[in-house]
Amino acid sequence: MTTPLLTLSDVSKNFGTNQALSDISLEVNPGEVLCLLGDNGAGKSTLIKILSGVHKPSSGTVEVEGKPVVFDSPKAASDVGIATVHQYGGTFPLMSVARCFFVGHEPTKGVWPFKYFDKKAAGEITVREMQKLGITRVTDGSRLTGALSGGERQSLAIARAVYFGARVLILDEPTSALGVKQSTHVLRIIMHARAQGIAVVFVTHNVTHAMAVGDRFAVLIHGKKADDFRKGERTREQITDLMAGGEAMAELEAELAELTGPVQTTP
Amino acid sequence: MTTHAPQGAPPSGGKQSLNKTESNMVLTGVRSQRTVGDLFRRPETGALVGTVTVFIFFAIFGGAQFLTTGGVASWLNIASELALIALPVALLMIAGEFDLSVGSVVASSSVTLAVVSGVYGMPQIIGIIAALAVGALTGFVNGIIVARTNVPSFIVTLAMQFALAGLTLGLARVIAGSTSVPLTPDPVFKALFGTLINGQFEVAIFWAIGAAVVVVWILQMTRAGNWIFAIGGDSQSARAAGIPVPKVKIALFMSTAIGASLVGIIQTMLYNGAQTGSGQSFVFNSIVAVVVGGVLLTGGYGSVPGVILGCLTFAIVNQGIYYTGWNSDWAQLILGILLLVAVLMNNTFRRLALSGGGRKAASAAKGA
Ligand SMILES: Nc1ncnc2c1ncn2[C@@H]1O[C@H](COP(=O)(O)OP(=O)(O)OP(=O)(O)O)[C@@H](O)[C@H]1O
Ligand SMILES: [Mg+2]
């Protein structure tokens, strides 16, 4: 048994009286995709904000390779190789793709006070890294990020995380705003990162997307871990039911049946 | 999706040597395609149109006088003093913040210099340092309050504007017994800050050129410049990317205040003394110049050439009106219309800059 890259033990988080997470325990391993599933407000984003140093847990511990850590800032988390693409944002629409790619990691040339941001190198690296991920339409680092499609922007954010040596890549609903084709693209990039031995935490509502790439799954309901399983241990229906809160789905079906009349199953 | 990297590709962590031939091929292919269309995608294009328009307008209606050296000097002087404040204000606005306290900083720095060296008779270099210190401190206080609390900078600096104006007035009356404090500048400092070259051109023009070089260097060429754009674009994401957001903001608030202090010093040396009420017009004038110059009011977008053009546009209208022989009231009307037109035009240009890609892009361009 090797030590997991990331271990969460009994992590809770409350905002005032609002208990967003209670006693969550999880493990994240290199070369594995962990899918975090759950309904709106289940606490998925809160959980990954704890992993990425945005929030500190109210109680419980986070360990990196078996050593307990407390992240004081997102930078502290990224210093140990945890890169996060947050649900909203992560790219800057009015900045060029090269500027965007290197935010916080700008390559420099020359000596102080004439040290300058090497935009030529930045542009070349950005274009090259994006092309590696199949974004061939971007051939110039000075293109504005806002002119990219949603999928291309996600790819840019993922490309930069991978380039800067992420060991854990956390993606908060990267496919939620995307069409079928672009989602497939992002899923393929996830598999690409996984193949490089990166641990991926993939947050989604979409069971199909989760089942396509996930090795492990955790379902959150109202801030609690409702279930935790490996690939192939649950059927699609079981997962969908869990996400909708189990009985809730059956109730809904009954309700709908009442409204629309009984559903005819046989002609 | 055909050029997917092979699974066995080496992990691309950090520094790798560039695959020169491949990327250069791509880049040269693109560079040759740069066209007139690209000009319309630059943040300062709208500002350039504005400056040229008002210049032609007043060259026609202002008569020959407007184009004499005296005429040119009159608006260059105004533009230069304004630029010393507007340039740092532009950086701050690109980072998503306002500074409405610059007016009181001009007055308080000016009064500080006149009181320290005029009333107390200390060496003028001490007075100048004290004036700059007043600016630096004010900027630091603005910055730390904005960075530490979630109060919008609009409110924090507006409060500072009032508080500092009151403090300046109060202390001037107590110490100097008057709202105007005279000072006879040393020849050296008169030459450095307040002389008129050829009897017409303020030395402030050189200070403004110097400031423009420094600011363009910071914004376009340094890491800090990239941080400023990122903070204004999305400060949460910027923080998540490891940018020291509070430090950058504090430094920017200090730079606007120091710019205002410099203008205070220049005016004191130029007019041989300080007035407690001086400089208040810079609060709105700097915002007009910066916005006309193509900086996005909500941050994340703008350029130094644009801001300089904005300052020139403002100054040309402000001074040009005197050469037309019309009532100077009309200058305000023109500036008001200009501001509105500039914002609408800049929105259009920004939308163009975002064009050529996904449909979603256009929505990001909305709202000034
Ligand atoms: N900063 C905050 N302050 C107070 N409450 C918060 C904060 N962030 C999240 N919450 C609350 O915590 C709960 C979980 O929110 P979270 O954003 O983690 O949900 P989610 O699972 O990511 O939902 P979605 O699928 O809609 O993104 C919600 O009830 C939310 O209102
Ligand atoms: Mg969420």
Side-chain angles (χ1 to χ4, degrees), chain A residues 129-212:
Chain A
E129 293 300 312
M130 290 196 71
Q131 297 207 332
K132 269 193 200 166
L133 293 187
I135 309 295
T136 45
R137 211 162 60 84
V138 178
T139 51
D140 180 357
S142 68
R143 276 280 297 280
L144 287 189
T145 310
L148 302 182
S149 73
E152 288 169 334
R153 267 199 255 179
Q154 283 290 340
S155 307
L156 174 69
I158 297 171
R160 80 187 284 276
V162 173
Y163 179 77
F164 290 110
R167 294 194 292 165
V168 182
L169 178 60
I170 303 176
L171 305 169
D172 196 354
E173 300 194 20
T175 56
S176 64
L178 306 182
V180 178
K181 232 177 147 184
Q182 298 207 6
S183 295
T184 317
H185 192 124
V186 171
L187 295 178
R188 207 169 297 178
I189 294 172
I190 291 175
M191 294 311 274
H192 184 60
R194 174 181 176 272
Q196 293 185 13
I198 295 172
V200 181
V201 179
F202 174 35
V203 177
T204 183
H205 285 289
N206 190 314
V207 182
T208 311
H209 292 170
M211 291 184 78

Side-chain angles (χ1 to χ4, degrees), chain B residues 11 26 30 65 99 102 105 108 139 159 161 176 191 194 196 201 204 207 231 283-284 288 301 309 314 320 343 363:
Chain B
V26 173
V30 170
Q65 276 291 311
D99 189 349
V102 289
V105 175
S108 65
Q161 161 78 356
L196 290 175
F201 296 92
W207 284 101
I231 291 171
V283 175
F284 289 120
V288 172
Y301 195 69
L309 290 167
F314 178 91
V343 170
S363 64

Side-chain angles (χ1 to χ4, degrees), chain A residues 53-55 72-75 78 84 86 88-95 98-100 102-108 113-121 123-125 127-129 131-150 152-153 160 162-165 177-178 185 188-189 191-192 195-196, chain B residues 1-20 22-24 26-28 30-31 33-34 41 217-244 296 298-301 350 352-365:
Chain A
V54 176
H55 294 320
D72 289 318
S73 66
K75 188 168 188 312
S78 80
T84 311
H86 287 282
Y88 306 104
T91 57
F92 306 88
L94 290 167
M95 288 169 78
R99 278 182 173 277
C100 215
F102 282 95
V103 161
H105 300 271
E106 299 82 1
T108 53
F114 299 109
K115 206 161 147 176
Y116 64 95
F117 174 16
D118 188 355
K119 279 184 278 187
K120 188 165 175 285
E124 288 171 3
I125 295 169
V127 170
R128 191 192 64 204
E129 293 300 312
Q131 297 207 332
K132 269 193 200 166
L133 293 187
I135 309 295
T136 45
R137 211 162 60 84
V138 178
T139 51
D140 180 357
S142 68
R143 276 280 297 280
L144 287 189
T145 310
L148 302 182
S149 73
E152 288 169 334
R153 267 199 255 179
R160 80 187 284 276
V162 173
Y163 179 77
F164 290 110
L178 306 182
H185 192 124
R188 207 169 297 178
I189 294 172
M191 294 311 274
H192 184 60
Q196 293 185 13
Chain B
M1 251 309 292
T2 46
T3 55
H4 201 63
Q7 299 278 298
S12 39
K15 292 133 193 100
Q16 294 174 323
S17 67
L18 285 175
N19 187 341
K20 276 257 152 66
E22 186 191 323
S23 45
N24 279 353
V26 173
L27 288 176
T28 40
V30 170
R31 208 149 274 157
Q33 287 173 20
R34 294 240 160 110
R41 301 204 172 98
W217 170 261
I218 291 173
L219 191 62
Q220 293 301 329
M221 301 303 290
T222 67
R223 300 188 67 192
N226 212 38
W227 298 354
I228 290 169
F229 281 117
I231 291 171
D234 178 356
S235 84
Q236 290 297 321
S237 299
R239 184 172 109 87
I243 293 172
L296 184 58
T298 48
Y301 195 69
R350 199 163 48 249
L352 269 175
L354 283 167
S355 68
R359 299 288 90 79
K360 276 183 161 176
S363 64

Side-chain angles (χ1 to χ4, degrees), chain B residues 253-323:
Chain B
F253 277 108
M254 289 178 73
S255 72
T256 54
I258 288 172
S261 284
L262 188 55
V263 170
I265 293 165
I266 285 170
Q267 293 195 340
T268 314
M269 296 297 183
L270 190 63
Y271 304 121
N272 306 321
Q275 303 282 337
T276 52
S278 70
Q280 297 302 338
S281 60
F282 282 106
V283 175
F284 289 120
N285 295 355
S286 63
I287 293 176
V288 172
V290 165
V291 171
V292 167
V295 176
L296 184 58
L297 200 64
T298 48
Y301 195 69
S303 80
V304 174
V307 175
I308 291 168
L309 290 167
C311 291
L312 287 172
T313 306
F314 178 91
I316 289 171
V317 176
N318 191 284
Q319 292 301 302
I321 201 80
Y322 295 111
Y323 294 92

Side-chain angles (χ1 to χ4, degrees), chain B residues 321-343:
Chain B
I321 201 80
Y322 295 111
Y323 294 92
T324 58
W326 307 335
N327 192 314
S328 63
D329 299 345
W330 298 109
Q332 306 250 3
L333 176 69
I334 297 176
L335 281 172
I337 294 169
L338 206 63
L339 182 62
L340 204 61
V341 172
V343 170

Side-chain angles (χ1 to χ4, degrees), chain B residues 39-47 292-295 301-303 306 346 349:
Chain B
L39 179 69
F40 290 103
R41 301 204 172 98
R42 300 195 54 82
E44 57 272 7
T45 309
V292 167
V295 176
Y301 195 69
S303 80
N346 288 334
F349 282 127

